[in-house]
Amino acid sequence: MQTDNFIPCFSIDCVVFGFHNNELRVLLLKLKNLDKWMLPGGFVSYDKDVDEEAIKVLRERTGLDDIFLRQFHLFGKKDRISKSHAQEMVDKKVISEDLKKWFDQRFLSLGYYALVEYSKVKKPEPDPVSEAIEWCPFSELPDLVIDHVDIVQKAHQRLKKELNFQPIGLNLLPDEFTMSELQALYETILNKQLDRRNFRRKMLAFDILKNTGKKRTGNAHKSPILYSFDQEKYQQLLQADHLF
Amino acid sequence: MQTDNFIPCFSIDCVVFGFHNNELRVLLLKLKNLDKWMLPGGFVSYDKDVDEEAIKVLRERTGLDDIFLRQFHLFGKKDRISKSHAQEMVDKKVISEDLKKWFDQRFLSLGYYALVEYSKVKKPEPDPVSEAIEWCPFSELPDLVIDHVDIVQKAHQRLKKELNFQPIGLNLLPDEFTMSELQALYETILNKQLDRRNFRRKMLAFDILKNTGKKRTGNAHKSPILYSFDQEKYQQLLQADHLF
DNA sequence: ACAAAAGTGTTGATCCTACACCCATGG
DNA sequence: CCATGGGTGTAGGATCAACACTTTTGT
């Protein structure tokens, strides 16, 4: 790692949300030789926009390019990283000795959250510091380094709030999906039950769903209609950001 | 200025909103020897929380301590500061030669916005780089350095959005105020007219206003009731952050 | 007495919520 | 044929927008 190119004391952390088996999940890296996990993140080169670097992190980790990605908070407490953190990383051979100085800095970390379609993410090779990359259920996060739990929680709070202003789903669901699947997504994020019939009515009223004419069969019940998003109207609504 | 103590490449900018003569205003500094203005801001010491430093900037500039202050965006474009900016500051003797190196860095700037009560702010002495400090009308901002116009605009956008989630006014109005004054504040921020009667009903429904029993006289019209905020209920509502 | 802002109440439209029935499908 | 989830409609309540009349004050 060429740390000379990086702006010092500054990092990026990305909370990547996916949705699978009716469960909200977060993409996490397992640190080598340590029973701790971390958010995918990185540093900012002197000649790159901060947002660019965040996009790069996402691309490297998920292979996805056109992604919903939002900056949401700068974590800047002076003692957010414990004194022993870098030393422990060196001791456990997570990082090499010569990187200790870099990781021993005080870091301000800018949090981003991303919404991605679970199935489209090719699970990539772990990198030099991590031995695994996994989709962990949001409801039972493993031990995370530093203040990464706070970052995930704050990202979720923000996501919940944004639901009031923005349509959501285009980035989290497959191209075709049923109304129930869309509802399950909302219920998971908001962590509360919604009325099936009212939900449908409301969603259709937004006029961002296209009935594909197809149905999903094989479910031992009535076959539900498959919908897709009307990309154009969806984007319009995203811009508008009026209340939902 | 002891730049050694500061985290490099990182600054804070504060958009301080005030309300006076039915007008939204922003606190700005006029640069010495230059026909440009800037937002009050500062840098972050290695041993201080970022939020602490923002509070400090506000205290130094307004004399106020207990202030509504929110982080809202990190401005991180690589070319947000023009190459010639630092040189110009040196040429015009805004900063001394030995500070050129510091100001020639690439800076990421964290934007905060604050709401303050205009009348409580003692207009302080300008500092070494500025020759004046003024409340400029938001609707007709002067020439600002770097991307400070964008920062102000984005702060205003965010403020508008937050109005949907939070009560506002406690920080922008004097202790006692009329319903019309409160309405004028909302109308100014939202930049649209509201119905007088519906506004009153809605506000009273929130149950955060106390009728002081007093009236404002001397206006050649019916004397309006003076209200004050019920601090306790106001704070409760702030926490709750449900929709307004 | 009058001009102008302040206080108050009502009505219709709209939106949201709660709820019940029939339909289709695979087992 | 039946269990189960999927599709549809409706009635009551709450909320919001639009609007008009009366009151108070200084001049």
Side-chain angles (χ1 to χ4, degrees), chain A:
Chain A
M1 191 164 67
Q2 270 300 98
T3 60
D4 297 356
N5 300 330
F6 295 141
I7 291 178
C9 302
F10 191 83
S11 62
I12 284 175
D13 283 304
C14 295
V15 182
V16 185
F17 288 109
F19 189 65
H20 190 60
N21 284 346
N22 279 0
E23 213 178 21
L24 194 64
R25 289 168 182 250
V26 180
L27 199 65
L28 293 175
L29 304 171
K30 164 93 174 50
L31 284 175
K32 265 186 194 162
N33 317 323
L34 260 173
D35 211 17
K36 295 231 175 170
W37 297 69
M38 65 183 291
L39 291 167
F43 304 106
V44 178
S45 295
Y46 278 103
D47 60 349
K48 294 267 173 59
D49 292 350
V50 176
D51 288 346
E52 263 184 73
E53 293 285 27
I55 292 167
K56 192 174 139 207
V57 169
L58 261 286
R59 187 167 43 230
E60 283 170 356
R61 297 301 184 177
T62 65
L64 293 178
D65 218 344
D66 196 21
I67 264 180
F68 179 98
L69 183 66
R70 291 278 186 281
Q71 192 197 108
F72 72 95
H73 191 74
L74 184 100
F75 296 83
K77 285 225 185 296
K78 61 173 178 288
D79 53 1
R80 51 183 287 272
I81 305 184
S82 78
K83 276 289 173 205
S84 55
H85 178 66
Q87 187 61 53
E88 189 178 6
M89 302 248 285
V90 172
D91 290 348
K92 300 292 172 93
K93 314 242 186 265
V94 180
I95 56 172
S96 61
E97 182 72 36
D98 55 322
L99 280 177
K100 173 158 190 274
K101 195 164 172 203
W102 174 259
F103 281 98
D104 234 351
Q105 294 177 95
R106 171 179 175 188
F107 277 104
L108 313 180
S109 194
L110 184 61
Y112 283 81
Y113 73 93
L115 306 178
V116 308
E117 191 186 320
Y118 184 89
S119 64
K120 279 196 184 156
V121 175
K122 60 160 180 49
K123 205 184 290 172
E125 297 296 303
D127 67 4
V129 302
S130 55
E131 66 186 22
I133 180 161
E134 294 286 348
W135 285 103
C136 300
F138 172 74
S139 55
E140 31 181 328
L141 295 173
D143 242 9
L144 297 177
V145 293
I146 321 178
D147 57 354
H148 286 198
V149 179
D150 301 339
I151 299 179
V152 174
Q153 293 299 341
K154 195 137 192 159
H156 179 246
Q157 273 178 24
R158 185 61 151 272
L159 175 56
K160 261 163 70 174
K161 216 168 176 176
E162 289 292 315
L163 267 198
N164 291 308
F165 289 96
Q166 300 183 351
I168 228 161
L170 177 54
N171 315 278
L172 284 161
L173 292 174
D175 291 341
E176 300 187 338
F177 51 89
T178 67
M179 192 61 79
S180 299
E181 287 163 357
L182 182 59
Q183 184 178 343
L185 171 62
Y186 270 78
E187 289 181 337
T188 304
I189 294 176
L190 296 174
N191 194 28
K192 70 174 175 192
Q193 301 294 109
L194 302 172
D195 182 274
R196 194 165 59 86
R197 295 151 286 192
N198 295 333
F199 180 81
R200 159 183 298 270
R201 186 180 7 250
K202 199 169 170 182
M203 278 301 145
L204 291 176
F206 289 143
D207 196 30
I208 52 174
L209 294 179
K210 280 190 304 195
N211 185 331
T212 63
K214 290 182 255 180
K215 301 200 170 196
R216 167 160 307 148
T217 58
N219 276 23
H221 310 301
K222 184 167 180 176
S223 301
I225 300 170
L226 283 170
Y227 292 94
S228 66
F229 285 106
D230 183 324
Q231 301 263 349
E232 197 175 333
K233 288 180 180 163
Y234 189 101
Q235 293 303 336
Q236 273 177 2
L237 215 50
L238 257 188
Q239 307 300 329
D241 104 3
H242 55 60
L243 276 181
F244 262 56

Side-chain angles (χ1 to χ4, degrees), chain B residues 180 196-197 200-201 221-222 224-225:
Chain B
S180 299
R196 195 165 60 86
R197 294 151 286 190
R200 159 183 298 269
R201 182 175 16 246
H221 309 299
K222 184 168 180 177
I225 300 170

